Amino acid sequence: QVQLVESGGGLVQAGGSLRLFCAASGRTFSSYAMGWFRQAPGKEREFVAAISWSGGSTYYADSVKGRFTSSRDNARNTVYLQVNGLKPEDTAVYYCGTSDGIDYLRDYAVYDNWGQGTQITVSS
């Protein structure tokens, strides 16, 4: 079992940037693909980004492509999400999750460990 703790969220103006962190416990962190999802009030959790276990492959939702960048440091058991050009519609709680698969990383169902989330609020 991997435990995940997200941090780095906050209140920013439109156009601003943040860097989200997802710190993992456990020695098997490097064997997992990692995903970022977000959930706004009254909406379903939606895919934001994913990164393969090695960091060599990344995937993004169309709505964030070109603005968000995912990376990871397996030596530090941490995955990052750099979020730039924030828009009010990016306001949500952001969650990271682990997947021991390599396919369907845009699918919420393939993730089995989740953190508590970190809130991003973007003001217009």
Side-chain angles (χ1 to χ4, degrees), residues 29-47:
F29 170 76
S30 61
S31 66
Y32 292 105
M34 300 294 295
W36 288 96
F37 285 69
R38 65 187 181 187
Q39 188 165 19
K43 295 188 177 181
E44 293 186 351
R45 194 170 295 195
E46 65 172 357
F47 171 75

Side-chain angles (χ1 to χ4, degrees), residues 43-92:
K43 295 188 177 181
E44 293 186 351
R45 194 170 295 195
E46 65 172 357
F47 171 75
V48 174
I51 187 167
S52 62
W53 66 270
S54 67
S57 297
T58 52
Y59 312 87
Y60 299 97
D62 288 344
S63 59
V64 308
K65 198 173 295 183
R67 300 188 297 124
F68 291 13
T69 303
S70 183
S71 60
R72 67 191 294 164
D73 184 341
N74 286 340
R76 296 179 183 270
N77 279 13
T78 302
V79 63
Y80 309 95
L81 186 68
Q82 179 67 39
V83 297
N84 299 328
L86 283 163
K87 305 175 181 179
E89 52 263 42
D90 294 320
T91 295

Side-chain angles (χ1 to χ4, degrees), residues 2-25:
V2 176
Q3 292 186 325
L4 304 173
V5 178
E6 300 95 333
S7 61
L11 171 64
V12 296
Q13 292 186 330
S17 298
L18 289 170
R19 195 181 198 198
L20 304 187
F21 301 81
C22 174
S25 64

